[in-house]
Amino acid sequence: MTSEQAGYRTVRRMTARDRREHHRVATPLELFFDLCFVVAVGQAGRELAVSLAEGHYGVGIPGYFLAFFAIWWAWMNFTWFASAYDVDDVPYRVTTLVQIAGVLILAAGVPRAFESHDYALFVIGYAVMRLALVTQWLRAAAGCAGPERTMTLRYAAGVALCQLGWWPALLVVPDGAGRTVAALAMIVAELSVPVLAERRSQTSWHPHHISERYGLFTLIVLGETVAAATVAVQSGLDEEDALGKLAAVAIGGLLICFSAWWVYFAEPIHDHLRSNRQAFVWGYGHYLVFLGAAAIGSGLEVAVEDAAGKAHVSSTVAAATVTVPTALYLFTVWLLHSRHVKTGAAQLVLPLAAAAVLACTAAGSQAVLPAGLVCAAAVAVGLALRARRG
């Protein structure tokens, strides 16, 4: 079988893909990319669960936000690049595999970052991912001209310059408030690169492909959440006195995860993605969607620890580790998805459900089951309103 028959070429000129291309779907390489990135998501989630269960909020929460940003941002940048310039030749595949290697290095550095604030391996992994993307942008620049070439070179320069800033921000600036400020400054710089690069020319991303890619990553993150909760419940089964509480956490957790899947995929969103302005808001906003979905799993781990009497925090705090990310997820899914396709009373379902889930926090060790029931009720009400609408 030749390389042409196998569906790819050894080397081809990298040019922009047609945004009106029919039947554009995620490739096996993109699916592999997502699965490997979720390894890092799971690593960050486990460290967050440990920190929260020990009551180390000042370490766990900021560390998780930073780790998740690095993972999400590298994933997001590749996803939008691939939507516009995926040529599926050998250099493209190899460079993408290098990015995967980078996220695995970053994942290996997550525990050190949480436990001893040692970001060396973390920064190395992030740099590998980002510099591999720089080579992709330079390849795209070599295949185009005019405003598009300027745009691709801006991307390459912006991503490269940001890497020069992360090293001193996390490895030179002393731990504490100064490092936090430096990291926030670098996050702002990273977020600014696409906005500045695409001022006069836009990448030819494919709306249906982008919405599918985000949906697939949501699925995988929710799957990681279910896996983390399952392992936590399994470890807690040794405590026979806690079986009743564990059953409530398990049932409530499943209802939350099932509902999270349902509300995200209730309506297609690709028709809403018509311009860069809409796409930037939608794409950037998914940081909170993905973060909330992943943090639900960490919260369920803490809830299991609380049910087994092993958590070093109050039951109310343990409940909040589940209810807060669940409410965040529901609200941001409404903000980015549902409000664009729902009318009338249906607009209120997810915001009210988010508020009700937060109110469940007051139930302490019993909070997960009612929070799950609220989520399931939100799905049921949404279906009833949709049926009435016809």
Side-chain angles (χ1 to χ4, degrees):
M1 180 181 291
T2 67
S3 60
E4 283 283 338
Q5 292 171 323
Y8 69 94
R9 297 176 184 173
T10 304
V11 180
R12 66 170 66 178
R13 183 167 174 261
M14 182 176 280
T15 56
R17 298 186 65 150
D18 185 355
R19 193 171 184 178
R20 298 163 298 179
E21 184 178 347
H22 295 295
H23 310 298
R24 181 74 190 278
V25 296
T27 66
L29 180 59
E30 288 174 320
L31 298 178
F32 184 45
F33 187 89
D34 291 356
L35 286 171
C36 293
F37 265 64
V38 171
V39 171
V41 171
Q43 190 80 295
R46 282 186 287 276
E47 294 299 324
L48 175 64
V50 171
S51 296
L52 293 178
E54 295 292 330
H56 300 155
Y57 319 122
V59 173
I61 295 175
Y64 183 69
F65 272 82
L66 177 59
F68 202 91
F69 173 81
I71 298 162
W72 162 77
W73 188 242
W75 176 88
M76 177 174 160
N77 279 195
F78 167 78
T79 296
W80 290 81
F81 174 87
S83 189
Y85 291 104
D86 182 356
V87 292
D88 196 33
D89 61 1
V90 170
Y92 178 86
R93 290 185 173 194
V94 171
T95 307
T96 302
L97 294 175
V98 171
Q99 290 177 267
I100 291 174
V103 79
L104 296 178
I105 295 170
L106 183 146
V110 166
R112 291 184 181 183
F114 271 81
E115 295 164 12
S116 59
H117 296 187
D118 178 2
Y119 285 93
L121 199 57
F122 183 94
V123 171
I124 291 171
Y126 187 69
V128 170
M129 290 188 292
R130 305 299 282 153
L131 294 177
L133 183 64
V134 170
T135 67
Q136 298 276 43
W137 280 116
L138 291 175
R139 278 197 70 197
C144 61
E148 184 186 1
R149 177 177 170 81
T150 300
M151 180 261 298
T152 56
L153 290 174
R154 282 177 177 171
Y155 262 113
V159 174
L161 286 173
C162 283
Q163 303 325 295
L164 297 177
W166 278 113
W167 286 83
L170 295 182
L171 301 180
V172 177
V173 176
D175 191 21
R179 179 177 290 179
T180 300
V181 171
L184 289 174
M186 288 311 307
I187 288 173
V188 172
E190 290 272 17
L191 294 173
S192 301
V193 171
V195 178
L196 296 174
E198 299 198 30
R199 282 187 304 171
R200 293 197 171 92
S201 180
Q202 301 177 6
T203 52
S204 58
W205 48 269
H206 193 287
H208 192 281
H209 176 250
I210 284 292
S211 63
E212 182 193 31
R213 294 286 290 111
Y214 273 71
L216 289 171
F217 199 68
T218 301
L219 282 176
I220 296 172
V221 171
L222 287 173
E224 173 63 29
T225 293
V226 172
T230 301
V231 171
V233 171
Q234 182 181 9
S235 66
L237 288 176
D238 294 334
E239 305 293 329
E240 296 183 5
D241 295 338
L243 291 181
K245 292 181 179 179
L246 285 174
V249 171
I251 294 170
L254 280 179
L255 288 174
I256 290 171
C257 292
F258 292 167
S259 302
W261 169 83
W262 199 296
V263 300
Y264 189 92
F265 294 97
E267 300 282 355
I269 195 63
H270 59 269
D271 287 338
H272 171 66
L273 304 177
R274 300 187 183 94
S275 68
N276 262 21
R277 181 178 178 181
Q278 294 166 322
F280 276 131
V281 173
W282 184 84
Y284 282 25
H286 267 73
Y287 172 70
L288 296 177
V289 173
F290 294 152
L291 182 141
I296 290 170
S298 302
L300 290 172
E301 291 186 57
V302 177
V304 168
E305 291 281 301
D306 180 60
K310 297 178 180 179
H312 299 283
V313 294
S314 69
S315 293
T316 302
V317 170
T321 64
V322 178
T323 58
V324 170
T326 301
L328 175 67
Y329 178 89
L330 293 175
F331 184 77
T332 51
V333 168
W334 169 79
L335 190 65
L336 298 173
H337 280 243
S338 303
R339 70 186 182 91
H340 300 296
V341 294
K342 295 185 182 297
T343 58
Q347 285 281 13
L348 301 175
V349 174
L350 290 183
L352 290 177
V357 166
L358 282 178
C360 291
T361 308
S365 60
Q366 306 298 321
V368 177
L369 181 55
L373 292 172
V374 167
C375 293
V379 171
V381 171
L383 289 173
L385 290 172
R386 184 176 183 179
R388 287 179 58 185
R389 192 176 63 199

